[in-house]
Amino acid sequence: MTWAILPVKELEGAKGRLSPALAPAQRVALMQVMIGEVLAALLAARGLAGVALVTLDPWATDLARRSGARVLTEGARDGHTGSVTAAARVLAAEGARGIITLPGDIPAVTPAEIEAVLAAHGKAPAFTIAPAHDELGSNAVAMSPPLAVPLRFGEDSYFPHLAAARAQGIEPQIVPLPGIGMDIDHPADLASFARLPEAAGTRTLAFLRECGLSPPAR
């Protein structure tokens, strides 16, 4: 009874920090490709009771329904933290024993990495985290029960999340993973992603090559 939560804010104006490298329409298209890859990995991962997208975006809503994922709208405009927390409340009220949440901008994630986070997750109460490559962001968080630790996502959330878990008497499990760890948020991340072995074969890398932002495959 562990549910996955994927928050997707409305895509208009998405990834503004990539504006030096990508035009607005390209940023939206990139976000759509990345969300699709993260959702596909979640749906293929073993050990999940279901996958819920928290969104009001029409494109994301349609993708979720076509893929067999659930759509939740509570808290969808309350930012990353608010949307995940709202979804966790809904799922906890329905009897979910735990949650795992990932952002939509980690397109090198694999089902095996998601399963690795779940495998490292102990008996409740438990808190497991896979950090961003720079150890600033929290790119995957699993919690049992679903509201065990107050969340606070952002560019500097990793160490605050560790402290928040310990404040609740829970020693966090840390699972560094290359695919989950590589989020795409700044122009420099595009080159880092292209060099990542786990990025090979992703639709995101193919899209970046089409945009001329990554060297072609040899």
Side-chain angles (χ1 to χ4, degrees):
M1 286 300 293
T2 295
W3 271 80
I5 300 172
L6 175 57
V8 178
K9 65 181 181 180
E10 288 155 288
L11 295 181
E12 184 178 357
K15 289 295 176 187
R17 281 173 285 198
L18 291 177
S19 57
L22 293 167
Q26 290 176 314
R27 298 198 304 271
V28 170
L30 172 63
M31 199 67 224
Q32 289 174 337
V33 173
M34 293 195 295
I35 291 167
E37 298 208 272
V38 175
L39 178 58
L42 286 168
L43 291 169
R46 295 168 296 181
L48 291 173
V51 179
L53 266 71
V54 187
T55 191
L56 287 167
D57 182 79
W59 176 88
T61 297
D62 180 65
L63 174 68
R65 289 175 175 161
R66 285 189 286 108
S67 302
R70 181 177 178 182
V71 176
L72 297 174
T73 58
E74 293 89 340
R77 287 188 175 140
D78 295 337
H80 193 143
T81 302
S83 60
V84 172
T85 301
R89 287 197 189 101
V90 170
L91 295 168
E94 294 175 353
R97 296 175 187 170
I99 60 139
I100 181 171
T101 183
L102 288 77
D105 62 355
I106 52 169
V109 62
T110 64
E113 286 193 339
I114 295 165
E115 291 165 11
V117 175
L118 295 173
H121 198 57
K123 294 181 180 180
F127 185 89
T128 304
I129 188 165
H133 63 98
D134 56 8
E135 292 196 336
L136 293 176
S138 307
N139 285 8
V141 170
M143 288 199 297
S144 302
L147 299 166
V149 175
L151 297 175
R152 195 214 74 182
F153 290 100
E155 287 204 357
D156 188 14
S157 66
Y158 172 53
F159 288 105
H161 273 148
L162 298 182
R166 290 171 178 139
Q168 299 298 315
I170 302 171
E171 183 57 32
Q173 296 296 313
I174 302 168
V175 188
L177 294 161
I180 287 178
M182 189 63 246
D183 51 322
I184 297 179
D185 204 32
H186 300 277
D189 297 331
L190 299 172
S192 297
F193 175 80
R195 291 192 298 267
L196 191 73
E198 289 75 12
T202 63
R203 292 189 293 116
T204 298
L205 184 58
F207 175 83
L208 294 176
R209 284 176 175 151
E210 289 173 7
C211 295
L213 293 172
S214 176
R218 293 181 180 179

